[in-house]
Amino acid sequence: MTQQRRFERIRPAGLMARTARIITGGRDPVIDCTVIDYSAGGACLDLDLSLAARLPQRFDLHHGASRKKCRVVWTRGRLTLV
């Protein structure tokens, strides 16, 4: 039995920005990433493999005009689900 998704994922299209920035806090550099899909419950991000390994468990995601507090749910290679 499979569990039904709580939120429908949406692929950014049209005028929606596909780029986002990860702010880890302090004096750490900003990490640029690409939004693969998103929903009210989370997002899937694509970022450089070396940066994905160093991503902290909690961070702020700037996407368009919004800023969200996020946590890493899973990481597989370059893809990270938050």
Side-chain angles (χ1 to χ4, degrees):
M1 182 171 148
T2 61
Q3 186 173 356
Q4 192 173 13
R5 281 192 171 184
R6 186 172 178 195
F7 300 101
E8 185 68 28
R9 294 265 183 211
I10 303 168
R11 292 192 184 279
L15 299 176
M16 174 60 82
R18 287 187 58 112
T19 59
R21 292 176 168 231
I22 295 172
I23 309 294
T24 57
R27 297 178 187 250
D28 295 337
V30 174
I31 301 170
D32 292 319
C33 63
T34 303
V35 177
I36 302 299
D37 61 26
Y38 65 93
S39 72
C44 182
L45 307 175
D46 180 20
L47 54 137
D48 185 80
L49 190 56
S50 63
L51 298 174
R54 297 188 330 224
L55 193 64
Q57 286 299 308
R58 297 194 180 271
F59 57 88
D60 288 349
L61 180 68
H62 290 232
H63 181 248
S66 67
R67 180 176 179 163
K68 306 259 184 198
K69 294 201 177 287
C70 300
R71 66 180 175 88
V72 175
V73 177
W74 63 254
T75 301
R76 182 176 298 145
R78 295 172 32 157
L79 295 180
T80 300
L81 187 67
V82 297

